[in-house]
Amino acid sequence: GAGVSQSPSNKVTEKGKDVELRCDPISGHTALYWYRQSLGQGLEFLIYFQGNSAPDKSGLPSDRFSAERTGGSVSTLTIQRTQQEDSAVYLCASSRRVNTGELFFGEGSRLTVL
Amino acid sequence: GESVGLHLPTLSVQEGDNSIINCAYSNSASDYFIWYKQESGKGPQFIIDIRSNMDKRQGQRVTVLLNKTVKHLSLQIAATQPGDSAVYFCAEIFTGGGNKLTFGTGTQLKVEL
């Protein structure tokens, strides 16, 4: 079956513009995560959705960042008024059940803010 | 805040040798640990996990060791192959606080022919 799909794979934008990044998780996976990875760095947690529960937004760096998950499937990460420090690879992952560390990652969306 | 860290940023090994990648964690409440492999341009890939009620777990060519006394985690790769070249991340979870994975900074493994 298909893996986690992310789009766009690359996005170049100007400072101050808004961007939307999309994630299609693996069908049937109940949990969905967004992480951010700067060049040569580890993964920084952003947000986590689990079924119908309230999302864990504790990793969102500012109120310019928001995410939605519609119908328990597709998720969109929105960054408003982008800044140069937002440049990174944004990774989405899904998992089939709760309490598992086995996440299935997409290949990421590389965001460059000029 | 508490975090997961790695001792060695880069590890070079000869093909066929065993590799040991180390990780230190500081959150004593963490009770579930995972290793991921990330190849260039790709997302991380799950390798193996271990819960805190175990101190060793084996997979195919990989072994994870957990020492809760000193808050140390290691990944051993037997007979390292060129395809093992990648960045390896450890991650920790405190399952009582949800299922949020906290990742370490990563170790680059380079396999020399």
Side-chain angles (χ1 to χ4, degrees):
Chain A
V4 175
S5 178
Q6 293 188 245
S7 62
S9 56
N10 282 285
K11 175 71 175 179
V12 179
T13 191
E14 294 179 346
K15 177 181 174 181
K17 300 285 189 181
D18 297 351
V19 296
E20 286 189 351
L21 307 176
R22 176 187 169 101
C23 174
D24 282 276
I26 294 173
S27 178
H29 279 197
T30 60
L32 187 146
Y33 303 75
W34 284 98
Y35 281 83
R36 177 169 71 174
Q37 186 173 34
S38 300
L39 185 63
Q41 300 296 313
L43 281 75
E44 175 189 4
F45 169 79
L46 297 177
I47 188 169
Y48 157 56
F49 297 89
Q50 174 56 52
N52 295 322
S53 301
D56 180 344
K57 303 180 180 181
S58 61
L60 295 178
S62 76
D63 59 8
R64 296 187 295 106
F65 288 73
S66 62
E68 291 184 343
R69 188 178 186 193
T70 55
S73 181
V74 171
S75 178
T76 301
L77 177 68
T78 301
I79 309 173
Q80 296 179 312
R81 304 180 302 281
T82 52
Q83 303 295 313
Q84 289 184 333
E85 59 263 29
D86 299 335
S87 297
V89 175
Y90 290 81
L91 290 160
C92 177
S94 66
S95 66
R96 59 172 65 96
R97 57 184 173 85
V98 300
N99 293 332
T100 178
E102 186 174 7
L103 273 56
F104 294 81
F105 281 86
E107 295 199 340
S109 293
R110 180 176 297 277
L111 174 65
T112 303
V113 182
L114 301 178
Chain B
E2 301 202 86
S3 63
V4 175
L6 295 174
H7 294 307
L8 299 173
T10 303
L11 177 64
S12 295
V13 299
Q14 294 290 319
E15 182 180 5
D17 287 352
N18 296 335
S19 302
I20 300 177
I21 301 171
N22 295 303
C23 174
Y25 66 94
S26 58
N27 186 354
S28 58
S30 292
D31 54 359
Y32 184 19
F33 305 89
I34 311 96
W35 281 100
Y36 277 84
K37 172 186 181 183
Q38 186 175 28
E39 296 177 274
S40 181
K42 296 185 178 181
Q45 180 181 15
F46 172 90
I47 301 173
I48 192 168
D49 59 1
I50 188 168
R51 303 222 179 233
S52 59
N53 61 347
M54 302 174 68
D55 54 19
K56 180 179 180 179
R57 190 166 188 219
Q58 290 184 295
Q60 186 175 9
R61 281 202 306 120
V62 294
T63 300
V64 56
L65 299 177
L66 174 62
N67 185 330
K68 295 181 289 294
T69 301
V70 295
K71 300 192 187 80
H72 185 267
L73 191 67
S74 68
L75 177 71
Q76 300 179 0
I77 305 174
T80 311
Q81 302 169 359
D84 294 328
S85 293
V87 177
Y88 290 80
F89 294 96
C90 62
E92 61 175 330
I93 301 176
F94 166 51
T95 58
N99 208 56
K100 181 173 71 177
L101 280 71
T102 300
F103 284 82
T105 54
T107 292
Q108 173 78 56
L109 176 64
K110 296 183 178 180
V111 181
E112 300 172 348
L113 303 178

